[in-house]
Amino acid sequence: MSQSQIVHMRVPPPTPKKTVFTEAMEIFHRAADLIGLDKRVRLELEEPDYEHIFYVTIKLKDRLVPIPAEEAAKFSDLSVTQVRDPSGLELLADGKIILNRRALLGSDVSIRHGHLRLPNGNVYQLVPGESTRFKAYRVQHNQARGPYKGGIRYHREVSLDLFKALAAEMTWKTAIAEVPFGGGKGGIQIDPRQYGKEEMQAITLRFMYKLKALIGPNIDIPAPDVGTNGDIMALLYRQYSDGERERHNMRGIVTGKDVRIGGSEGRVKATGQGAAYCIEDYYAEKNQSLKGKTFILQGFGNVGSNAAEILTGMGARLLAVNDADGTIHNGDGIDVPALIKYVYENPSNLKRSVLGFPGAQKIEKSDLWDVQADMLLPAALGGEITGDIAERLKVKLIAEGANGPTTPDADRVLQRRGIDLIPDIICNAGGVTVSYYEWIQNKRMEAWTEAEVNHRLEQAMKRNYRIIRDISRNNPRRTEMHDSRRYCTGKEVDSRLAAMTLALKRIEAHYLLEGFSQ
Ligand code: NAD
């Protein structure tokens, strides 16, 4: 090839790879273009401040692993091991059993070639616990408005890309909720259902041992997210403050704690409660109430179960629920308190699934999307409502309890089909709002009543949701409750763009008024 030929061969510019993060940022760029966001502020917000990846190692416990029937036949004459202390055996959702040493102490043990038979008749292989490594993350997206804030997720399908998207989402959400925080997110790549209670405790303690160098009650404040809860927050708090002289001043290191150790009344329900306030306000504007309204739900964890309980308490009817293990339907309405009992208070329901609930029929997951209802409440994982699903939905409103449940493709379909949307960054902001109340209570050594918390939450949710609706309709005004004059853009926009506009205008003000440190 001659020199001139080489010069004329142009390599096409690489098309940027589509990732969860780049998809999530599409709306950021649309809003930034709309308001002419300051260029430098845009650069600051386009990527996280810090992306931490680290590793957590622990020694796992011994496991009893069930073996296939044909292999078990070889042990037909193996006598049963009578376990003296059955509490030392911990049944896992994947069918394996954790064998704590105390289980076999003083028992009559018959082991052959590493196999034993339990009183249930099944033969198990004894697999010694090994040291194992897990990948952990903390992304700190932005702190222009206050310390980084965001949940800890324990889930098998997490990645740096996902945490970048979720951390950025927290930056927008804290701005919309008007709480003085920035955005962060993190967690561990792990399926918590495959590990025992003591193993999860060890993993959590080791996680905080490593995380401690990166966070603080005035630097970065974690909270529960998918796969974590108040018990995990208690361990994180203890590990962070262990041996510190002023450990009582450190309670604000995590939010979402049990109320008995500095958590806030109303925090467990706060995300579901906040979503319910938004939905109530959506209908109130149409002079309607929730009485008689129907809804379908995805996810029956913290957000989904609490939202379902509150919405049905307000007179709505739940027609179908889908979770990680299955989907159930009852056209007359599902008895939510009974379903909560079935999922959370039934020790034999190891997967904590709605599947098998006697008050409803099992349907396929794909059938969920065809159920006709007034509302759909996604409260599970991101990216579930795709363009195809959006085409099928037979609801009039989607209230996003989950983070990022609707893809940009689906957004376009929903708009075309005239399906209303309460976007995640306002709809599920109740959790971080009450997390802020918890953090203030910790700082002031106070404890507020649930009524006080809910009153403040209701005002905050409805005020900011009304500002977003005004931005969407380009209706600048000031009422007793809210003032949207600063935020309207001179044109009508969809509700997700309106929410992002509010977030960016609030964040930009910090950069422009405070200036940049060099
Ligand atoms: P959780 O772990 O308590 O519950 C998750 C639920 O989703 C479970 O019922 C699980 O079975 C279901 N699920 C998981 N994978 C699924 C799948 N592939 N298909 C269908 N269902 C599936 O989690 P959570 O705290 O309730 O969080 C749910 C969502 O709400 C997440 O997107 C989270 O980021 C968001 N969120 C949570 C909070 C909070 O305060 N907990 C606050 C804001 C947003």
Side-chain angles (χ1 to χ4, degrees):
M1 200 180 285
S2 75
Q3 192 64 27
S4 63
Q5 271 173 311
I6 293 173
V7 170
H8 288 101
M9 271 179 63
R10 287 261 164 86
V11 181
T15 8
K17 217 176 104 204
K18 240 189 178 183
T19 70
V20 174
F21 180 61
T22 59
E23 274 216 342
M25 291 297 279
E26 277 182 25
I27 188 72
F28 163 81
H29 290 293
R30 281 177 61 207
D33 289 343
L34 176 71
I35 65 171
L37 183 71
D38 177 90
K39 277 217 173 92
R40 189 162 170 196
V41 175
R42 189 171 182 150
L43 288 177
E44 289 282 332
L45 292 171
E46 252 173 21
E47 293 290 341
D49 287 349
Y50 304 101
E51 301 168 11
H52 304 283
I53 295 183
F54 52 102
Y55 295 88
V56 176
T57 59
I58 64 148
K59 170 96 167 62
L60 294 179
K61 288 175 174 284
D62 298 341
R63 274 166 170 63
L64 296 174
V65 180
I67 58 170
E70 57 278 17
E71 224 179 293
K74 291 186 219 149
F75 298 92
S76 57
D77 58 338
L78 185 64
S79 51
V80 171
T81 290
Q82 293 297 345
V83 180
R84 180 67 64 80
D85 180 5
S87 71
L89 295 181
E90 187 180 354
L91 195 57
L92 301 178
D94 61 6
K96 296 177 185 164
I97 298 174
I98 299 259
L99 179 67
N100 286 299
R101 281 194 194 146
R102 65 175 184 276
L104 297 184
L105 277 181
S107 306
D108 241 344
V109 185
S110 314
I111 295 191
R112 195 195 312 151
H113 302 309
H115 291 74
L116 55 78
R117 184 186 299 282
L118 288 184
N120 64 11
N122 296 336
V123 178
Y124 293 83
Q125 184 183 4
L126 177 60
V127 178
E130 290 197 341
S131 292
T132 305
R133 181 177 54 218
F134 300 90
K135 198 166 186 178
Y137 303 83
R138 185 72 186 171
V139 175
Q140 295 167 325
H141 177 260
N142 187 270
Q143 58 168 348
R145 300 184 60 266
Y148 303 108
K149 182 89 189 80
I152 298 290
R153 181 173 291 198
Y154 287 177
H155 196 265
R156 197 165 36 187
E157 280 148 40
V158 296
S159 61
L160 182 63
D161 181 49
L162 175 69
F163 282 130
K164 280 173 72 175
L166 294 171
E169 174 134 335
M170 286 306 296
T171 302
W172 323 138
K173 200 182 302 181
T174 49
I176 284 174
E178 268 189 305
V179 295
F181 292 133
K185 203 87 172 192
I188 308 179
Q189 190 176 53
I190 186 171
D191 179 356
R193 301 193 306 185
Q194 291 184 11
Y195 299 89
K197 200 163 177 239
E198 288 176 20
E199 288 175 335
M200 286 313 299
Q201 286 177 353
I203 289 166
T204 299
L205 294 176
R206 189 70 186 171
F207 175 60
M208 181 52 103
Y209 178 83
K210 294 268 179 99
L211 189 63
K212 187 170 174 179
L214 311 174
I215 67 170
N218 296 313
I219 298 170
D220 182 358
I221 305 134
D225 189 68
V226 175
T228 59
N229 55 23
D231 294 347
I232 301 283
M233 295 307 116
L235 288 168
L236 292 176
Y237 162 65
R238 192 189 86 208
Q239 180 73 327
Y240 184 84
S241 62
D242 220 7
E244 298 283 350
R245 288 177 65 202
E246 294 192 16
R247 63 187 298 269
H248 52 278
N249 270 333
M250 297 175 177
R251 275 190 206 282
I253 182 59
V254 286
T255 57
K257 300 179 291 289
D258 188 301
V259 285
R260 293 167 293 184
I261 59 165
S264 177
E265 292 289 353
R267 173 61 184 91
V268 172
K269 294 189 170 186
T271 308
Q273 184 70 66
Y277 285 139
C278 286
I279 295 169
E280 185 182 36
D281 213 45
Y282 168 89
Y283 284 116
E285 202 188 31
K286 301 178 188 296
N287 286 321
Q288 296 175 20
S289 81
L290 273 157
K291 224 172 167 69
K293 295 278 184 298
T294 53
F295 67 108
I296 56 176
L297 174 65
Q298 184 182 44
F300 203 71
N302 172 293
V303 179
S305 64
N306 283 302
E309 191 174 33
I310 294 162
L311 292 174
T312 49
M314 293 163 95
R317 247 179 333 129
L318 173 63
L319 302 185
V321 195
N322 158 246
D323 69 15
D325 301 289
T327 311
I328 58 169
H329 174 260
N330 182 343
D332 297 329
I334 292 171
D335 179 346
V336 173
L339 182 60
I340 289 176
K341 262 201 177 137
Y342 176 80
V343 173
Y344 290 101
E345 291 163 33
N346 172 4
S348 60
N349 189 348
L350 282 174
K351 291 188 170 172
R352 296 203 156 167
S353 171
V354 299
L355 205 62
F357 177 60
Q361 299 83 43
K362 179 177 184 286
I363 57 170
E364 290 305 313
K365 175 172 181 175
S366 59
D367 295 337
L368 173 83
W369 313 117
D370 297 324
V371 175
Q372 183 148 10
D374 292 299
M375 306 167 250
L376 160 64
L377 203 92
L381 300 180
E384 284 281 316
I385 304 172
T386 58
D388 289 348
I389 288 172
E391 290 285 3
R392 287 165 57 183
L393 288 174
K394 296 179 179 62
V395 297
K396 297 174 208 125
L397 169 68
I398 297 181
E400 294 183 326
N403 282 317
T406 312
T407 65
D409 274 354
D411 264 351
R412 287 183 275 274
V413 175
L414 298 178
Q415 269 178 46
R416 174 169 51 72
R417 295 191 56 208
I419 296 175
D420 285 339
L421 179 80
I422 308 179
D424 50 3
I425 45 180
I426 178 70
C427 192
N428 68 32
V432 76
T433 304
V434 178
S435 275
Y436 167 57
Y437 302 158
E438 178 174 337
W439 185 75
I440 303 182
Q441 290 172 72
N442 290 161
K443 274 192 176 295
R444 297 186 191 161
M445 306 274 176
E446 289 180 1
W448 304 353
T449 64
E450 185 167 0
E452 200 175 342
V453 167
N454 280 343
H455 175 70
R456 285 177 189 249
L457 176 64
E458 179 171 5
Q459 297 296 307
M461 294 299 300
K462 292 186 175 173
R463 181 174 64 246
N464 289 305
Y465 182 36
R466 285 176 194 185
I467 295 174
I468 290 170
R469 274 180 294 181
D470 283 357
I471 299 172
S472 175
R473 293 169 192 157
N474 190 29
N475 179 21
R477 62 186 166 139
R478 183 180 178 176
T479 68
E480 239 174 51
M481 180 126 166
H482 77 291
D483 185 350
S484 60
R485 291 171 301 172
R486 219 190 266 289
Y487 305 109
C488 290
T489 61
K491 49 169 139 165
E492 292 181 17
V493 294
D494 63 84
S495 57
R496 199 183 299 285
L497 192 52
M500 185 58 89
T501 298
L502 175 60
L504 293 190
K505 285 204 170 201
R506 282 185 175 155
I507 298 164
E508 185 184 43
H510 279 262
Y511 282 104
L512 299 188
L513 297 176
E514 293 167 19
F516 288 85
S517 301
Q518 301 300 325

